[in-house]
Coordinates of all heavy atoms in Angstrom, one line a residue:
M9 N 0.9 -1.2 0.0 CA 0.0 0.0 0.0 C 0.9 1.2 0.0 O 1.9 1.3 0.8 CB -0.9 0.0 1.2 CG -1.9 1.1 1.3 SD -3.0 1.1 2.8 CE -3.8 -0.5 2.7
A10 N 0.6 2.2 -0.9 CA 1.4 3.4 -0.9 C 1.2 4.2 0.4 O 0.1 4.1 1.0 CB 0.9 4.2 -2.1
R11 N 2.2 5.0 0.7 CA 2.1 5.8 1.9 C 0.9 6.7 2.0 O 0.2 6.7 3.1 CB 3.4 6.7 2.0 CG 3.5 7.5 3.2 CD 4.8 8.3 3.2 NE 4.8 9.2 4.4 CZ 4.5 10.5 4.3 NH1 4.1 11.0 3.1 NH2 4.5 11.3 5.3
H12 N 0.5 7.4 1.0 CA -0.6 8.3 1.1 C -1.9 7.4 1.2 O -2.8 7.9 1.9 CB -0.7 9.2 -0.1 CG -1.0 8.6 -1.4 ND1 -0.1 7.9 -2.2 CD2 -2.2 8.4 -2.1 CE1 -0.6 7.4 -3.3 NE2 -1.9 7.7 -3.2
E13 N -2.0 6.3 0.6 CA -3.1 5.4 0.8 C -3.2 4.9 2.2 O -4.3 4.8 2.8 CB -3.1 4.2 -0.2 CG -3.3 4.6 -1.6 CD -3.1 3.5 -2.6 OE1 -2.4 2.5 -2.2 OE2 -3.5 3.6 -3.8
E14 N -2.1 4.5 2.8 CA -2.1 4.1 4.2 C -2.5 5.2 5.1 O -3.2 5.0 6.1 CB -0.7 3.5 4.5 CG -0.6 2.8 5.8 CD 0.7 2.1 6.1 OE1 1.6 2.1 5.2 OE2 0.8 1.6 7.2
M15 N -2.0 6.4 4.8 CA -2.4 7.5 5.7 C -3.9 7.8 5.6 O -4.6 8.0 6.6 CB -1.6 8.8 5.3 CG -0.2 8.7 5.7 SD 0.8 10.2 5.3 CE 0.2 11.3 6.6
D16 N -4.4 7.7 4.4 CA -5.9 7.9 4.2 C -6.7 6.8 4.9 O -7.7 7.1 5.6 CB -6.3 7.8 2.7 CG -5.9 9.1 1.9 OD1 -5.6 10.1 2.6 OD2 -6.0 9.0 0.7
H17 N -6.2 5.6 4.9 CA -6.8 4.5 5.6 C -6.8 4.7 7.1 O -7.8 4.5 7.7 CB -6.1 3.2 5.2 CG -6.7 1.9 5.8 ND1 -8.0 1.4 5.4 CD2 -6.3 1.1 6.8 CE1 -8.2 0.4 6.2 NE2 -7.3 0.2 7.0
L18 N -5.6 5.0 7.6 CA -5.5 5.3 9.0 C -6.4 6.5 9.5 O -7.0 6.4 10.5 CB -4.1 5.5 9.4 CG -3.2 4.2 9.5 CD1 -1.7 4.6 9.6 CD2 -3.7 3.4 10.7
A19 N -6.4 7.5 8.7 CA -7.2 8.7 9.0 C -8.7 8.3 9.0 O -9.4 8.7 10.0 CB -7.0 9.8 8.0
G20 N -9.1 7.5 8.1 CA -10.5 7.0 8.1 C -10.8 6.2 9.3 O -11.9 6.3 9.9
Q21 N -9.9 5.3 9.7 CA -10.1 4.5 10.9 C -10.1 5.4 12.2 O -11.0 5.2 13.1 CB -8.9 3.5 11.1 CG -9.0 2.4 10.1 CD -7.9 1.4 10.3 OE1 -6.8 1.8 10.7 NE2 -8.1 0.1 10.0
L22 N -9.3 6.4 12.2 CA -9.3 7.3 13.4 C -10.7 8.1 13.5 O -11.2 8.2 14.5 CB -8.2 8.3 13.3 CG -6.8 7.8 13.7 CD1 -5.7 8.8 13.3 CD2 -6.8 7.6 15.2
V23 N -11.1 8.5 12.3 CA -12.4 9.2 12.3 C -13.5 8.3 12.8 O -14.4 8.7 13.6 CB -12.7 9.8 10.9 CG1 -14.2 10.3 10.8 CG2 -11.8 10.9 10.6
Q24 N -13.5 7.0 12.3 CA -14.5 6.1 12.7 C -14.5 5.8 14.2 O -15.5 5.7 14.9 CB -14.4 4.8 12.0 CG -15.5 3.8 12.3 CD -16.9 4.3 11.9 OE1 -17.1 4.7 10.8 NE2 -17.8 4.3 12.9
L25 N -13.2 5.6 14.8 CA -13.1 5.4 16.2 C -13.6 6.6 17.0 O -14.2 6.4 18.0 CB -11.6 5.1 16.5 CG -11.1 3.7 16.1 CD1 -9.6 3.6 16.2 CD2 -11.8 2.6 16.9
L26 N -13.3 7.8 16.5 CA -13.7 9.0 17.2 C -15.3 9.1 17.2 O -15.9 9.5 18.2 CB -13.1 10.3 16.6 CG -11.6 10.4 16.9 CD1 -11.0 11.5 16.0 CD2 -11.3 10.7 18.3
T27 N -15.8 8.7 16.1 CA -17.3 8.7 15.9 C -17.9 7.7 16.9 O -18.9 8.0 17.5 CB -17.7 8.4 14.5 OG1 -17.1 9.4 13.6 CG2 -19.2 8.4 14.3
D28 N -17.3 6.5 16.9 CA -17.8 5.5 17.8 C -17.8 5.9 19.3 O -18.7 5.7 20.0 CB -17.0 4.2 17.7 CG -17.2 3.5 16.3 OD1 -18.2 3.9 15.6 OD2 -16.4 2.6 16.0
A29 N -16.6 6.5 19.7 CA -16.5 7.0 21.0 C -17.5 8.1 21.4 O -18.2 8.0 22.4 CB -15.1 7.6 21.3
E30 N -17.7 9.0 20.5 CA -18.7 10.1 20.7 C -20.1 9.5 20.7 O -20.9 9.9 21.6 CB -18.6 11.1 19.6 CG -19.4 12.4 19.8 CD -20.8 12.3 19.3 OE1 -21.1 11.4 18.4 OE2 -21.6 13.0 19.8
S31 N -20.4 8.6 19.9 CA -21.8 8.0 19.9 C -22.1 7.2 21.1 O -23.1 7.3 21.7 CB -21.9 7.1 18.6 OG -21.9 7.8 17.4
G32 N -21.1 6.4 21.6 CA -21.2 5.7 22.8 C -21.4 6.6 24.0 O -22.3 6.4 24.9
Q33 N -20.6 7.6 24.1 CA -20.7 8.6 25.2 C -22.1 9.3 25.1 O -22.7 9.4 26.2 CB -19.6 9.6 25.0 CG -19.5 10.6 26.2 CD -18.4 11.6 26.0 OE1 -18.2 12.1 24.9 NE2 -17.7 11.9 27.1
R34 N -22.5 9.7 24.0 CA -23.8 10.4 23.8 C -24.9 9.4 24.3 O -25.9 9.8 25.0 CB -24.0 10.8 22.4 CG -25.3 11.6 22.3 CD -25.6 12.2 20.9 NE -24.5 12.1 19.9 CZ -24.5 11.2 18.9 NH1 -25.6 10.4 18.7 NH2 -23.6 11.2 18.0
G35 N -24.9 8.2 23.8 CA -25.9 7.2 24.2 C -26.0 7.0 25.7 O -27.0 7.0 26.3
Y36 N -24.8 7.0 26.4 CA -24.8 6.8 27.8 C -25.4 8.1 28.5 O -26.2 7.9 29.4 CB -23.4 6.6 28.3 CG -23.2 6.6 29.8 CD1 -23.7 5.5 30.6 CD2 -22.7 7.7 30.5 CE1 -23.7 5.6 32.0 CE2 -22.6 7.7 31.8 CZ -23.1 6.7 32.6 OH -23.0 6.7 34.0
L37 N -25.0 9.2 28.0 CA -25.4 10.5 28.6 C -27.0 10.6 28.5 O -27.6 11.2 29.4 CB -24.7 11.7 28.1 CG -23.2 11.8 28.4 CD1 -22.6 12.9 27.7 CD2 -23.1 12.0 29.9
L38 N -27.5 10.2 27.4 CA -28.9 10.3 27.1 C -29.7 9.3 27.9 O -30.9 9.5 28.3 CB -29.2 10.1 25.6 CG -28.8 11.3 24.8 CD1 -29.0 11.0 23.3 CD2 -29.6 12.6 25.1
T39 N -29.2 8.0 28.1 CA -30.0 7.0 28.7 C -29.5 6.6 30.1 O -30.3 6.0 30.9 CB -29.9 5.7 27.8 OG1 -28.6 5.2 27.8 CG2 -30.4 6.0 26.4
G40 N -28.2 6.8 30.4 CA -27.7 6.4 31.7 C -27.3 4.9 31.7 O -26.9 4.4 32.7
R41 N -27.5 4.2 30.5 CA -27.2 2.8 30.4 C -25.8 2.6 30.1 O -25.3 3.0 29.0 CB -28.2 2.1 29.4 CG -29.6 2.2 29.8 CD -30.6 1.6 28.9 NE -30.3 0.2 28.7 CZ -30.6 -0.5 27.6 NH1 -31.3 0.1 26.7 NH2 -30.3 -1.7 27.5
E42 N -25.1 1.8 30.9 CA -23.6 1.6 30.7 C -23.3 0.8 29.5 O -22.2 0.9 29.0 CB -23.0 1.0 31.9 CG -23.0 2.0 33.1 CD -22.1 1.5 34.2 OE1 -21.2 0.7 34.0 OE2 -22.3 2.1 35.3
V43 N -24.3 0.1 28.9 CA -24.0 -0.7 27.7 C -23.6 0.2 26.6 O -22.8 -0.2 25.7 CB -25.2 -1.5 27.3 CG1 -26.4 -0.7 26.9 CG2 -24.9 -2.6 26.3
Y44 N -24.0 1.4 26.6 CA -23.6 2.4 25.5 C -22.2 2.8 25.6 O -21.6 3.4 24.7 CB -24.5 3.6 25.6 CG -25.9 3.3 25.0 CD1 -27.0 3.1 25.9 CD2 -26.1 3.2 23.7 CE1 -28.2 2.8 25.4 CE2 -27.4 2.9 23.2 CZ -28.5 2.7 24.1 OH -29.7 2.4 23.6
L45 N -21.5 2.6 26.8 CA -20.1 3.0 27.0 C -19.2 2.0 26.3 O -18.0 2.3 26.2 CB -19.8 3.2 28.4 CG -20.4 4.4 29.1 CD1 -20.1 4.4 30.6 CD2 -19.9 5.7 28.4
E46 N -19.6 0.8 25.9 CA -18.7 -0.2 25.3 C -18.0 0.3 24.1 O -16.8 0.2 24.0 CB -19.5 -1.5 25.0 CG -18.6 -2.6 24.6 CD -19.2 -3.9 24.6 OE1 -20.2 -4.2 25.4 OE2 -18.8 -4.8 23.7
P47 N -18.7 0.9 23.1 CA -18.0 1.5 22.0 C -17.0 2.6 22.3 O -16.0 2.7 21.7 CB -19.1 2.0 21.0 CG -20.4 1.5 21.5 CD -20.2 1.1 23.0
Y48 N -17.4 3.3 23.3 CA -16.5 4.4 23.8 C -15.2 3.8 24.4 O -14.1 4.2 24.0 CB -17.2 5.2 24.9 CG -16.4 6.2 25.7 CD1 -16.1 7.4 25.1 CD2 -15.8 5.8 26.9 CE1 -15.3 8.3 25.8 CE2 -15.0 6.7 27.6 CZ -14.8 8.0 27.0 OH -14.0 8.9 27.7
H49 N -15.3 2.8 25.2 CA -14.1 2.2 25.8 C -13.3 1.5 24.8 O -12.1 1.5 24.8 CB -14.5 1.2 26.9 CG -15.1 1.9 28.1 ND1 -14.4 2.8 28.9 CD2 -16.3 1.8 28.8 CE1 -15.1 3.3 29.9 NE2 -16.3 2.6 29.8
Q50 N -13.9 0.8 23.8 CA -13.2 0.1 22.8 C -12.4 1.1 21.9 O -11.3 0.9 21.6 CB -14.2 -0.7 21.9 CG -14.7 -2.0 22.6 CD -15.7 -2.7 21.7 OE1 -16.1 -2.2 20.7 NE2 -16.2 -3.8 22.2
A51 N -13.1 2.2 21.6 CA -12.4 3.2 20.8 C -11.2 3.8 21.5 O -10.2 4.0 20.9 CB -13.4 4.3 20.3
R52 N -11.4 4.1 22.8 CA -10.3 4.7 23.6 C -9.1 3.8 23.7 O -8.0 4.2 23.8 CB -10.8 5.0 25.0 CG -11.9 6.1 25.0 CD -11.5 7.3 25.8 NE -10.3 7.4 26.5 CZ -10.1 8.0 27.6 NH1 -11.1 8.6 28.2 NH2 -8.9 8.0 28.2
E53 N -9.4 2.5 23.6 CA -8.3 1.5 23.6 C -7.5 1.5 22.3 O -6.3 1.3 22.3 CB -8.8 0.1 24.0 CG -9.2 -0.1 25.4 CD -9.8 -1.5 25.6 OE1 -9.5 -2.4 24.8 OE2 -10.4 -1.7 26.7
R54 N -8.2 1.7 21.2 CA -7.6 1.5 19.9 C -7.1 2.8 19.3 O -6.2 2.8 18.5 CB -8.7 1.0 18.9 CG -9.1 -0.5 19.3 CD -10.1 -1.1 18.4 NE -9.6 -1.1 17.0 CZ -10.4 -1.0 15.9 NH1 -11.7 -0.9 16.1 NH2 -9.8 -1.1 14.7
I55 N -7.6 4.0 19.8 CA -7.1 5.3 19.2 C -5.6 5.5 19.4 O -5.0 5.9 18.4 CB -8.0 6.4 19.8 CG1 -9.4 6.4 19.1 CG2 -7.3 7.8 19.5 CD1 -10.3 7.4 19.8
P56 N -5.0 5.3 20.5 CA -3.6 5.5 20.7 C -2.7 4.8 19.7 O -1.8 5.3 19.1 CB -3.3 5.1 22.1 CG -4.6 5.3 22.8 CD -5.6 4.9 21.8
E57 N -3.0 3.5 19.4 CA -2.3 2.7 18.5 C -2.4 3.3 17.1 O -1.4 3.4 16.3 CB -2.7 1.3 18.5 CG -2.2 0.4 17.4 CD -2.9 -0.9 17.3 OE1 -3.6 -1.3 18.2 OE2 -2.7 -1.5 16.2
K58 N -3.6 3.6 16.7 CA -3.8 4.1 15.3 C -3.2 5.5 15.2 O -2.6 5.8 14.1 CB -5.3 4.2 15.0 CG -6.1 2.9 15.0 CD -5.6 2.0 13.9 CE -6.4 0.7 13.9 NZ -5.8 -0.3 13.0
L59 N -3.2 6.3 16.2 CA -2.6 7.6 16.1 C -1.1 7.5 16.1 O -0.5 8.2 15.3 CB -3.1 8.4 17.3 CG -2.7 9.9 17.3 CD1 -3.3 10.6 16.1 CD2 -3.3 10.6 18.5
R60 N -0.5 6.6 16.8 CA 0.9 6.4 16.7 C 1.3 6.0 15.3 O 2.3 6.5 14.8 CB 1.4 5.3 17.7 CG 1.6 5.9 19.1 CD 2.4 4.8 20.0 NE 1.6 3.6 20.2 CZ 0.7 3.5 21.2 NH1 0.4 4.5 22.0 NH2 0.0 2.4 21.3
S61 N 0.6 5.1 14.7 CA 0.9 4.6 13.4 C 0.8 5.8 12.4 O 1.6 6.0 11.5 CB -0.1 3.5 12.9 OG 0.1 2.4 13.7
F62 N -0.3 6.6 12.6 CA -0.5 7.7 11.7 C 0.6 8.7 11.8 O 1.2 9.2 10.8 CB -1.8 8.3 12.0 CG -2.2 9.4 11.1 CD1 -2.8 9.2 9.8 CD2 -2.0 10.8 11.4 CE1 -3.1 10.2 9.0 CE2 -2.3 11.8 10.5 CZ -2.9 11.5 9.3
L63 N 1.0 9.0 13.0 CA 2.1 10.0 13.3 C 3.4 9.5 12.8 O 4.3 10.3 12.3 CB 2.1 10.4 14.8 CG 0.9 11.2 15.3 CD1 1.0 11.3 16.8 CD2 0.8 12.5 14.6
Q64 N 3.6 8.2 12.9 CA 4.9 7.6 12.4 C 5.0 7.8 10.9 O 6.0 8.2 10.3 CB 5.0 6.1 12.7 CG 6.2 5.5 12.2 CD 7.5 6.1 12.8 OE1 7.6 6.4 14.0 NE2 8.5 6.2 11.9
L65 N 3.9 7.6 10.2 CA 3.9 7.9 8.7 C 4.1 9.3 8.4 O 4.8 9.7 7.4 CB 2.5 7.4 8.1 CG 2.3 6.0 7.9 CD1 0.9 5.7 7.5 CD2 3.3 5.4 6.9
M66 N 3.6 10.2 9.3 CA 3.8 11.7 9.0 C 5.3 12.0 9.2 O 5.8 12.9 8.6 CB 3.0 12.5 10.0 CG 1.5 12.5 9.6 SD 0.5 13.6 10.7 CE 1.3 15.1 10.5
R67 N 6.0 11.3 10.2 CA 7.4 11.6 10.4 C 8.3 11.2 9.3 O 9.4 11.7 9.1 CB 7.9 10.9 11.7 CG 7.4 11.6 13.0 CD 8.0 11.0 14.2 NE 7.1 11.1 15.3 CZ 6.3 10.3 15.8 NH1 6.2 9.1 15.2 NH2 5.5 10.5 16.8
E68 N 7.9 10.2 8.5 CA 8.7 9.8 7.4 C 8.8 10.9 6.4 O 7.9 11.8 6.3 CB 8.1 8.5 6.8 CG 8.1 7.4 7.7 CD 7.3 6.1 7.1 OE1 6.9 6.2 6.0 OE2 7.2 5.2 7.9
K69 N 9.7 10.8 5.5 CA 10.0 11.9 4.5 C 8.7 12.1 3.7 O 8.2 11.1 3.1 CB 11.1 11.6 3.7 CG 11.5 12.6 2.7 CD 12.7 12.3 1.9 CE 12.9 13.4 0.9 NZ 14.1 13.1 0.0
P70 N 8.1 13.3 3.7 CA 6.9 13.5 2.9 C 7.2 13.2 1.4 O 8.2 13.5 0.9 CB 6.6 15.0 3.1 CG 7.3 15.3 4.4 CD 8.5 14.4 4.4
S71 N 6.2 12.7 0.7 CA 6.3 12.5 -0.7 C 5.2 13.3 -1.4 O 4.1 13.3 -1.0 CB 6.1 11.0 -1.0 OG 4.9 10.5 -0.6
G72 N 5.6 13.9 -2.5 CA 4.6 14.7 -3.2 C 4.0 15.8 -2.4 O 4.8 16.5 -1.7
S73 N 2.7 16.0 -2.4 CA 2.1 17.1 -1.8 C 1.6 16.8 -0.3 O 1.0 17.6 0.3 CB 0.9 17.6 -2.6 OG -0.1 16.6 -2.7
I74 N 1.9 15.5 0.1 CA 1.5 15.1 1.4 C 2.6 15.6 2.4 O 3.7 15.2 2.4 CB 1.4 13.6 1.6 CG1 0.3 13.1 0.6 CG2 1.0 13.2 3.0 CD1 0.2 11.6 0.6
T75 N 2.2 16.5 3.3 CA 3.1 17.0 4.3 C 2.4 16.9 5.7 O 1.1 16.8 5.7 CB 3.5 18.5 4.1 OG1 2.3 19.3 4.2 CG2 4.1 18.7 2.7
P76 N 3.1 17.0 6.8 CA 2.4 17.0 8.1 C 1.3 18.1 8.2 O 0.2 17.9 8.7 CB 3.5 17.2 9.1 CG 4.7 16.6 8.4 CD 4.5 17.0 6.9
A77 N 1.6 19.3 7.6 CA 0.6 20.4 7.7 C -0.7 20.1 6.9 O -1.8 20.2 7.4 CB 1.2 21.7 7.2
T78 N -0.5 19.6 5.7 CA -1.7 19.3 4.8 C -2.4 18.1 5.4 O -3.7 18.0 5.4 CB -1.3 19.0 3.4 OG1 -0.4 17.9 3.3 CG2 -0.7 20.2 2.7
T79 N -1.7 17.1 6.0 CA -2.3 16.0 6.6 C -3.1 16.4 7.9 O -4.2 15.9 8.1 CB -1.3 14.9 7.0 OG1 -0.6 14.5 5.8 CG2 -2.0 13.7 7.6
A80 N -2.5 17.2 8.7 CA -3.2 17.7 9.9 C -4.5 18.5 9.5 O -5.5 18.3 10.1 CB -2.3 18.6 10.7
R81 N -4.4 19.3 8.5 CA -5.6 20.1 8.0 C -6.7 19.1 7.5 O -7.8 19.3 7.8 CB -5.2 21.1 6.9 CG -4.6 22.3 7.4 CD -4.6 23.4 6.4 NE -3.7 23.0 5.2 CZ -2.4 23.2 5.1 NH1 -1.8 23.8 6.1 NH2 -1.8 22.8 4.0
G82 N -6.2 18.0 6.8 CA -7.2 17.0 6.4 C -7.9 16.3 7.5 O -9.1 16.1 7.4
L83 N -7.1 16.0 8.6 CA -7.7 15.4 9.7 C -8.8 16.3 10.4 O -9.8 15.9 10.8 CB -6.7 15.0 10.7 CG -6.0 13.6 10.6 CD1 -4.9 13.5 11.6 CD2 -7.0 12.5 10.6
V84 N -8.4 17.6 10.5 CA -9.3 18.5 11.1 C -10.6 18.6 10.2 O -11.7 18.6 10.7 CB -8.7 19.9 11.2 CG1 -9.7 21.0 11.5 CG2 -7.6 19.9 12.2
D85 N -10.4 18.6 8.9 CA -11.6 18.6 8.0 C -12.5 17.3 8.2 O -13.7 17.4 8.2 CB -11.2 18.7 6.5 CG -10.6 20.1 6.2 OD1 -10.8 21.0 7.0 OD2 -9.9 20.2 5.2
L86 N -11.8 16.2 8.3 CA -12.5 14.9 8.5 C -13.3 14.8 9.8 O -14.4 14.4 9.8 CB -11.5 13.7 8.4 CG -11.1 13.3 7.0 CD1 -10.0 12.3 7.1 CD2 -12.2 12.8 6.2
V87 N -12.6 15.3 10.8 CA -13.2 15.2 12.2 C -14.2 16.3 12.3 O -15.3 16.1 13.0 CB -12.1 15.2 13.3 CG1 -12.7 15.3 14.6 CG2 -11.2 14.0 13.2
G88 N -14.0 17.4 11.7 CA -14.9 18.5 11.8 C -14.5 19.5 12.9 O -13.6 19.1 13.7
N89 N -15.0 20.6 12.9 CA -14.7 21.6 13.9 C -15.9 21.9 14.7 O -16.9 22.6 14.3 CB -14.3 22.9 13.1 CG -13.9 24.0 14.1 OD1 -14.1 23.9 15.3 ND2 -13.4 25.1 13.6
P90 N -16.0 21.3 15.9 CA -17.2 21.4 16.8 C -17.5 22.9 17.0 O -18.7 23.3 17.1 CB -16.8 20.7 18.0 CG -15.7 19.8 17.7 CD -15.0 20.5 16.5
R91 N -16.5 23.7 17.2 CA -16.8 25.2 17.5 C -17.4 25.8 16.3 O -18.3 26.6 16.4 CB -15.5 25.9 17.8 CG -15.0 25.4 19.2 CD -13.7 26.2 19.6 NE -13.2 25.7 20.8 CZ -12.1 25.9 21.3 NH1 -11.2 26.7 20.6 NH2 -11.7 25.4 22.4
G92 N -17.0 25.4 15.1 CA -17.6 26.0 13.9 C -19.0 25.6 13.7 O -19.9 26.4 13.4
H93 N -19.3 24.3 14.1 CA -20.7 23.8 14.0 C -21.6 24.5 15.1 O -22.7 24.9 14.8 CB -20.8 22.3 14.2 CG -20.1 21.6 13.1 ND1 -20.6 21.6 11.8 CD2 -19.0 20.7 13.1 CE1 -19.8 20.8 11.1 NE2 -18.9 20.3 11.8
A94 N -21.0 24.7 16.2 CA -21.8 25.4 17.3 C -22.1 26.8 16.9 O -23.1 27.3 17.2 CB -21.0 25.3 18.6
A95 N -21.1 27.5 16.3 CA -21.3 28.9 15.9 C -22.4 29.0 14.9 O -23.2 29.9 14.9 CB -20.0 29.4 15.4
R96 N -22.5 28.0 14.0 CA -23.6 28.1 13.0 C -24.9 27.8 13.6 O -25.9 28.2 13.1 CB -23.3 27.1 11.9 CG -22.2 27.6 10.9 CD -22.0 26.6 9.9 NE -21.0 25.7 10.4 CZ -20.2 25.0 9.8 NH1 -20.3 24.9 8.5 NH2 -19.3 24.2 10.4
A97 N -24.9 27.0 14.7 CA -26.2 26.7 15.3 C -26.8 27.9 16.1 O -28.0 27.9 16.4 CB -26.0 25.5 16.2
D98 N -26.0 28.8 16.5 CA -26.4 30.0 17.3 C -27.3 30.9 16.5 O -27.6 31.1 15.5 CB -25.2 30.8 17.8 CG -24.5 30.0 18.9 OD1 -25.1 29.1 19.4 OD2 -23.4 30.3 19.1

């Protein structure tokens, strides 16, 4: 797998894990049922490993237009900007 494809794949996995964690937390807060915390806990266990792998790829010599700065901006775009969404809701 090419470096940029691997970075895209890891970024997608990170976004999915963050979404799972947020959904599980929200489910628990809305219902008080601890069963909803399982995806949260699973994601919290897996995020550090995926993030380490992603950051290791970023430390490698950038190829083409992929740089740590463009990759970081891409992650922010993928995850979203909660403050930006809150500002639009006001």
Side-chain angles (χ1 to χ4, degrees):
M9 186 180 302
R11 179 175 175 265
H12 69 278
E13 290 172 342
E14 191 172 354
M15 289 181 78
D16 284 347
H17 181 72
L18 284 168
Q21 289 180 328
L22 281 165
V23 169
Q24 184 60 56
L25 289 168
L26 291 167
T27 300
D28 292 348
E30 188 272 337
S31 295
Q33 185 179 42
R34 184 175 355 103
Y36 172 74
L37 291 173
L38 290 171
T39 66
R41 296 180 60 201
E42 290 194 19
V43 69
Y44 287 102
L45 288 176
E46 189 169 328
Y48 171 82
H49 291 301
Q50 289 176 355
R52 293 243 355 216
E53 288 177 16
R54 294 181 60 208
I55 287 171
E57 172 194 342
K58 298 295 181 186
L59 190 55
R60 275 192 297 277
S61 297
F62 185 83
L63 294 173
Q64 179 61 40
L65 283 173
M66 284 182 59
R67 282 187 207 97
E68 295 173 5
K69 184 177 179 181
S71 62
S73 63
I74 300 174
T75 65
T78 59
T79 302
R81 281 192 298 273
L83 275 176
V84 169
D85 290 344
L86 283 172
V87 173
N89 181 350
R91 290 183 183 165
H93 293 296
R96 281 179 276 203
D98 288 341

